[in-house]
Amino acid sequence: MFDFDAMATFVEVVQLGSFSAAAKALRLPRSTLSQRVARLEASLGVRLLERTMARSGLVRRSWCLTS
């Protein structure tokens, strides 16, 4: 079954540019968002985000999910 919460979380992180900003907007702990995105990545079998201390950016192959 598709995890819509995980996909919505991924989209929010992409739109806002960071897990911290998305966590604030969604009023959820950053760790919850990270777990959701990791679950989505595992279910799709690909890494979707490049995680750094400052920002989260799209991996090239994940652009199609947000276009």
Side-chain angles (χ1 to χ4, degrees):
M1 179 172 275
F2 189 76
D3 188 342
F4 289 100
D5 286 336
M7 185 62 180
T9 298
F10 168 70
V11 170
E12 194 75 10
V13 170
V14 170
Q15 288 178 338
L16 297 179
S18 73
F19 280 93
S20 296
K24 187 174 182 179
L26 295 171
R27 296 185 174 147
L28 292 169
R30 189 181 168 286
S31 60
T32 299
L33 274 62
S34 183
Q35 290 169 1
R36 285 182 181 178
V37 172
R39 196 169 58 232
L40 179 62
E41 290 174 324
S43 72
L44 296 174
V46 296
R47 193 169 90 220
L48 299 171
L49 296 172
E50 290 286 341
R51 293 159 175 86
T52 67
M53 293 299 290
R55 295 185 54 82
S56 296
L58 286 173
V59 172
R60 174 172 272 180
R61 65 179 160 251
S62 66
W63 290 15
C64 64
L65 292 174
T66 60
S67 297

